[in-house]
Amino acid sequence: MEEAAIESPCIRECRIDQITGYCVSCLRTLKEISYWESYAPTERRRVMSLIEARRAAAGHHSGN
C-alpha cells in the first residue's frame, strides 16, 4: 500500500527566531526546512511530531 504524501508545513512566512532556531511560522529548524524534500515519509512524520511538541511547549495552537 502506498503512503499518502506528507505536505510541508510551510506557510511562506519564513523567519528564523534567533533564540530558538525555529521558523516562527512552521516551527522547523533550518536543517529540517532544507532537507524536507529529501526526507522519506517516516522522517517527515517524525518532524511533524517534533513540530507539534514545539507548538505545545510554546503554547501555539494548531491551525487544524
Side-chain angles (χ1 to χ4, degrees), residues 18-55:
Q18 295 301 307
I19 296 169
T20 65
Y22 304 140
C23 173
V24 297
S25 297
C26 71
L27 297 175
R28 291 182 294 170
T29 65
L30 282 174
K31 181 179 178 182
E32 291 163 348
I33 292 167
S34 63
Y35 284 97
W36 184 263
E37 290 299 317
S38 66
Y39 283 160
T42 54
E43 186 66 9
R44 287 184 179 195
R45 276 193 298 280
R46 185 187 73 78
V47 171
M48 294 301 286
S49 293
L50 290 171
I51 290 169
E52 287 304 315
R54 293 168 188 160
R55 186 174 283 124

